[in-house]
Amino acid sequence: MAEHQPSRDEALALLKEYNKNEGLIKHALAVEAVMRYSARKRGEDEEKWGVIGLIHDLDYEQFPQQHCRKTEEILRSHNWPEDYIRAVLSHGWGICTDVEPQSELEKVLYAVDELTGLIVATALVRPSKSVMDMKAKSVRKKWKDKSFAAGVNREIIEKGAQILGVELSELITDAIMGMREVADELDLRGNVEISQ
C-alpha cells in the first residue's frame, strides 16, 4: 500500500479543527509560505514542505503543555507519514522534544518558525505596515532591541541559521520573500503599492 501523502486541504482542515485563534492560524500560514519559498529555492518538494509548515503548531492552542507530542499523536491517528511527523517534532528541538533537525526541511522549519514572528512584529511597526517593502536590515535593526518582540527566541533563529549554514540576513530575506506571497492572508500588505 502506498504511503498516504497529506494534501494542503487536509492539513488546513486539521489546523482549523484544533485552532480557532486567528493569530496562530496566520502564524501557520506564514511558516507554510516561507517553507514553500525555501523548498522552491532548493529544488525540493514544495507541497510537502508547505504542508509540514502549515501543520507544525497543530496542538499549540489546545495542548501547549504537550506541544509537538500531541501533534505527533493526532497525525499518527490520521496515518500521516513518519517523515512528516518527525519534521514537526524536530521544530521543538531543545524546547519540548529531543528530535534534532537532520534533513534540510527540518533545519529550515526549525530556523524560520520563530523568525516569522519577528518579521510580523517588525512589519507592524513600520510606517507601511507591510512586508512588501521590508528588507532584512529592518529586521536586523529590531533584532538588537531585546524588548522588541521579546517572546521571539533569537537564539533559536541564530542556531537555525548556523545548522543550515546560511547567513542570518539571507535567512531573514528568504522568510520575508516567502511571507510576501501571502501578505494579504497575513494582513501584511499594508499601504504599499507594488507595481508588477
Side-chain angles (χ1 to χ4, degrees), residues 42-112:
R42 289 167 170 78
E44 296 288 344
D45 183 344
E46 182 182 337
E47 193 63 19
K48 178 179 182 176
W49 284 45
V51 164
I52 290 169
L54 189 59
I55 208 81
H56 80 284
D57 276 347
L58 177 64
D59 60 9
Y60 194 75
E61 184 175 327
Q62 290 187 26
F63 308 100
Q65 300 310 312
Q66 297 170 274
H67 184 40
C68 291
R69 293 298 172 192
K70 199 68 182 174
T71 298
E72 177 183 19
E73 201 179 289
I74 296 163
L75 296 183
R76 278 196 204 292
S77 73
H78 285 82
N79 298 314
W80 278 50
E82 281 304 313
D83 57 334
Y84 284 63
I85 295 169
R86 187 190 142 68
V88 167
L89 289 171
S90 76
H91 95 275
W93 179 48
I95 308 154
C96 55
T97 79
D98 56 3
V99 180
E100 185 176 344
Q102 299 290 335
S103 70
E104 193 79 353
L105 181 160
E106 291 171 352
K107 291 174 183 176
V108 172
L109 179 62
Y110 178 81
V112 304

Side-chain angles (χ1 to χ4, degrees), residues 18 22 57 61 67-68 91 99 110 117 121 128 147 151 154 166 172 178-179 187 192:
Y18 285 90
E22 193 182 335
D57 276 347
E61 184 175 327
H67 184 40
C68 291
H91 95 275
V99 180
Y110 178 81
S128 66
S147 65
R154 289 152 171 83
V166 298
I172 294 169
M179 289 170 70
D187 293 325
V192 174

